[in-house]
Amino acid sequence: MSTLSAEKTGVRVLTMGEAIREALAEELRRDPTVFVMGEDVAEAGTAFKVLLGLVDEFGPERVIDSPISEPGITGLGVGAAMTGMRPVIDIMFGDFITLTMDQMVNQAAKIHYMSGGKLKVPMVLRTTMGASRRSAAQHSQSLHAWFSHVPGLKVVVPSTPYDAKGLLKTAIRDDNPVAFFEDKMMYQLKGEVPEEEYTIPFGVADIKRPGTDITIVATSSMVQVSLAAAEMLAEIGIEAEVVDPRTTFPLDKEAIIESAKKTSRAIVVDEGYERYGVTAEIASVIADGAFYYLDAPVKRIGAMDVPIPFSPALEDLTVPTADTVVETAKALCGRN
Amino acid sequence: MAKAAKQTKPKTSKSATPDAEEWLTMYEQMVRIRSFEERVNLLYTSAKMPGLAHLYIGEEAIAVGVCSVLNAEDYITSTHRGHGHCIAKGADVDIMFAELLGKAAGYCKGKGGSMHIADQANGNLGANAIVGGSAGIAVGAAFSAQRLGNGRVAVCFFGEGAMGQGFLAETMNLAQLWKLPVIFVCENNMYNEYTHFSETTAGNPADRARALGMHTEEQDGQDIRVVYETALTAVERARRGEGPAFLMFHTYRYHGHHVGDINREYYRSKEEERDWVENRDPLALFADWLLAKKLTDRSVLDGIEAEVKEEVERGAQFALDAPYPDPSEVSTNVYA
């Protein structure tokens, strides 16, 4: 990440974890109906320490340690959201969203529609994603595509501290159920975050790096991987444009299509499983909207379609890397 | 976790000894439910109603007894067998019929149907087609009532079949742990769809609530006086901040699991059905008591029945004549 230049004012360098904590603190301060609930969220500050200190300012009434009961606390969040509060439900590992499925998919996502618009569920489910912590198959998945599949839910996949803060504030203020996926390998990632209040609207992609020769649409940690790949590609004269949708729903189709039209080549990189995944959806968007501009088929890069293994020697094989992105880009650009 | 910081507003409490007029209002509500459901059965069997209907006939004393101790702003969550709860909480039959027929004038603009009617104005947070699925909503509503200090309580209706769902156990744990003002009302009609509960349920369901230290009662659900008194005690406890309750009422559904479940001798005998209808009917028991106590006379009861029947017929006709939703409605209310 870029370092701060001394003359800039009002901008600090924060880690992603700090940016998320700051977003929550600001929203807890701003709106008394916001509360945070989850396993070990108070004194422990979650397994990843992201929430450390929040309970000191806001107390155990608003930063609430729950039983180990993912369906229970998610359901409680749905009901509280329907009746005047704005819950932020913390699910420690993204793998555990499997336990929340009925409450998220059949309740939270459906209630506004089923009630003909009478009831709303302004709730955020915060959780993690991503492999590479040697945590094996039940603590390493990126399941954001599952929620992206369901009408009624919105899904956020931030890639920088700046985005994480602005998007989380938007999520808390949104009147719909929002799933917010944080890559657990990115909590120490540093980036510039302004002092002043800001939010980032959903459904607006960000061009993380402009380029002319190939479009790389990347999400969450894969944005950093793709930016590294873009640097490597630049050394051999290929200028990659890295497009970060920031939310998988709503999806900024227009920005993605425009970039693909401009560069005529596209790769989609996401850490979810490749089959039936986010990459498939975005590749389809590009094929549909930019087909006659393309000089090559759209390529997808996702996690290997296997349960994530424990052994470092095996786990590292399952996750997309900058080298994979570079090799794929070179092949698409006829540079092998 | 400590109690809400805010002061609980005093609520007008319901009478421990209803007078003749109040009893007659309850009788009228029970008649309204039965009459509505008989008309639903007719609509369904004459192919005028799409989808499914799960009739509540035989269980009327529970919905009316419980809802009669609630205020309009108190919350309920309901089940797939939810018409009785909806009417008991104050819904109008014409708008309900419209919802059942998928008409634009329905409570949910025809998007919810029989199994998803919500009526926010009367505190009904919705029927729910997932067995046990609404428990989180009720507990969340009780959580927000406690936090917002608005003095409301939430009632979660469910059948004994929901005792097989782990989610219910999780939400009961949360409710008791945090002393939330929620009443779990188990309507034990003995049949989990097409299977006797003894084949599906280990032990006495009420013992599970007792094991949590929850205020628990097991009572006759056919006698509205018993239901009313039991519910009143539980609701007043909850309003005083003394925590949740689990009330199990023994009852019987006269019809099958749904309107199409006609040939059901493989799971229950005609003798058993006849015994409940002839000897344990909640309307007949209530009428007999009202007459024996000289709180009313037969002509008054007959008058109520005639008036309600007419209201129901008008309501059904209103719904039959009402237009379907405009096609543009299909994609509205997905997001708030």
Side-chain angles (χ1 to χ4, degrees), chain B residues 34 58 222 254 276-286:
Chain B
R34 179 153 307 182
Q222 303 309 86
Y254 289 4
W276 280 85
V277 173
E278 289 174 2
N279 302 314
R280 303 291 307 142
D281 182 66
L283 273 77
L285 291 174
F286 194 15

Side-chain angles (χ1 to χ4, degrees), chain B:
Chain B
M1 201 173 65
K3 299 267 179 51
K6 286 183 193 168
Q7 192 68 40
T8 296
K9 271 191 245 165
K11 303 304 295 183
T12 48
S13 82
K14 299 286 176 171
S15 172
T17 50
D19 60 21
E21 193 184 336
E22 288 164 328
W23 284 126
L24 282 175
T25 303
M26 289 182 233
Y27 185 78
E28 181 180 319
Q29 282 290 61
M30 286 170 67
V31 172
R32 185 169 284 113
I33 293 170
R34 179 153 307 182
S35 183
F36 178 85
E37 295 247 299
E38 282 167 350
R39 193 69 179 80
V40 168
N41 199 27
L42 196 63
L43 285 168
Y44 187 86
T45 50
S46 60
K48 293 202 169 74
M49 182 185 155
L52 286 174
H54 305 82
L55 300 181
Y56 191 71
I57 292 177
E59 308 186 18
E60 295 93 339
I62 304 174
V64 174
V66 171
C67 290
S68 293
V69 306
L70 301 178
N71 299 314
E73 62 271 25
D74 288 324
Y75 300 114
I76 66 161
T77 64
S78 175
T79 70
H80 63 281
R81 197 176 305 289
H83 305 153
H85 310 133
C86 193
I87 291 173
K89 199 66 178 63
D92 293 321
V93 294
D94 50 353
I95 309 177
M96 281 182 70
F97 275 127
E99 187 60 35
L100 263 53
L101 297 185
K103 301 299 183 72
Y107 271 105
C108 309
K109 300 200 279 187
K111 291 177 174 178
S114 166
M115 284 194 281
H116 303 110
I117 299 181
D119 174 16
Q120 197 184 19
N122 286 306
N124 182 352
L125 298 175
N128 208 300
I130 308 293
V131 170
S134 76
I137 296 170
V139 168
F143 178 90
S144 71
Q146 185 191 68
R147 292 320 173 89
L148 300 172
N150 57 25
R152 299 180 189 188
V153 300
V155 170
C156 178
F157 289 103
F158 54 92
E160 83 292 336
M163 297 308 292
Q165 295 281 10
F167 181 62
L168 189 64
E170 293 193 30
T171 57
M172 282 165 55
N173 182 54
L174 294 175
Q176 179 67 7
L177 184 67
W178 294 332
K179 295 278 182 284
L180 301 177
V182 56
I183 317 297
F184 296 95
V185 175
C186 178
E187 301 176 311
N188 187 348
N189 67 20
M190 300 201 290
Y191 291 90
N192 296 190
E193 302 191 0
Y194 316 100
T195 303
H196 193 273
F197 84 106
S198 63
E199 295 176 46
T200 62
T201 314
N204 181 346
D207 287 345
R208 301 183 196 176
R210 285 191 193 102
L212 295 170
M214 196 180 288
H215 173 78
T216 302
E217 294 208 46
E218 190 175 343
Q219 296 284 4
D220 178 7
Q222 303 309 86
D223 184 341
I224 188 164
R225 294 174 301 139
V226 171
V227 175
Y228 182 91
E229 194 184 319
T230 307
L232 185 66
T233 303
V235 166
E236 287 185 341
R237 282 184 82 257
R239 280 203 218 283
R240 286 195 301 266
E242 292 172 29
F246 181 97
L247 312 179
M248 188 165 83
F249 293 112
H250 294 283
T251 188
Y252 201 74
R253 64 166 209 240
Y254 289 4
H255 289 258
H257 168 53
H258 67 95
V259 279
D261 175 21
I262 306 293
N263 301 315
R264 47 186 183 262
E265 276 183 278
Y266 67 93
Y267 71 84
R268 69 184 201 188
S269 68
K270 283 203 188 310
E271 291 71 36
E272 178 185 291
E273 292 186 359
R274 198 154 43 235
D275 182 48
W276 280 85
V277 173
E278 289 174 2
N279 302 314
R280 303 291 307 142
D281 182 66
L283 273 77
L285 291 174
F286 194 15
D288 290 348
W289 179 78
L290 289 167
L291 296 170
K293 286 280 168 190
K294 302 202 186 312
L295 292 168
T296 189
D297 56 50
R298 180 52 74 183
S299 68
V300 172
L301 300 184
D302 290 346
I304 287 172
E305 277 157 40
E307 266 180 47
V308 167
K309 219 173 172 125
E310 204 184 300
E311 171 194 332
V312 162
E313 194 47 49
R314 272 200 315 272
Q317 200 55 52
F318 164 81
L320 286 165
D321 296 341
Y324 282 109
D326 187 86
S328 66
E329 279 291 336
V330 71
S331 56
T332 65
N333 307 132
V334 180
Y335 291 94

Side-chain angles (χ1 to χ4, degrees), chain A residues 15 21 24 29 48 56 69-70 77 79-80 87 92 95 98 109 123 139 182 205 230 255 262 285 328 335:
Chain A
T15 65
R21 176 160 60 235
L24 286 166
R29 228 169 270 142
F48 302 101
D56 300 330
S69 184
E70 289 85 0
M92 198 183 284
D95 311 74
T98 53
M123 166 184 152
H139 285 73
E182 300 160 13
K262 184 174 84 176
V285 164
T328 308
R335 295 286 293 275

